Amino acid sequence: MADIRAILAAAGQRIERGALREDPRAFMDALWRQVYDRAPDDLRPYVWSRLADFSAQLGVIEDVVAERSPVRTPPEVFARR
């Protein structure tokens, strides 16, 4: 859990400082795989929220193509209604 929080904190700092050198979509896809896919169930809502915020900051949330989506919908149990 500490590893996931540290990865998210580092990613947030890179985004805020404008230090992102790679394509935002590729960055977010890698981040989703690195943290969300490995997160325990109880941490997934937090991780999903942070990743959605990062995607919005990078401007990749509105023009998402479903099969390449860096913004995955959370499991049904976490979906906001």
Side-chain angles (χ1 to χ4, degrees), residues 1 4 35-45 47 78:
M1 237 185 320
I4 289 172
V35 294
Y36 187 79
D37 292 348
R38 296 185 319 156
D41 289 343
D42 61 330
L43 192 58
R44 282 190 170 186
V47 171
F78 301 125

Side-chain angles (χ1 to χ4, degrees), residues 10-78:
Q13 289 175 356
R14 283 182 67 195
I15 292 168
E16 288 176 16
R17 287 192 325 242
L20 197 63
R21 300 290 178 238
E22 61 264 27
D23 173 61
R25 285 190 187 283
F27 173 76
M28 288 307 303
D29 283 341
L31 199 55
W32 273 98
R33 284 190 304 276
Q34 188 177 16
V35 294
Y36 187 79
D37 292 348
R38 296 185 319 156
D41 289 343
D42 61 330
L43 192 58
R44 282 190 170 186
Y46 167 76
V47 171
W48 184 84
S49 176
R50 290 294 307 268
L51 292 174
D53 288 345
F54 293 163
S55 295
Q57 287 176 328
L58 293 171
V60 296
I61 202 164
E62 283 98 19
D63 60 345
V64 174
V65 177
E67 62 272 5
R68 292 189 55 225
S69 176
V71 182
R72 301 176 190 172
T73 47
E76 186 63 31
V77 70
F78 301 125

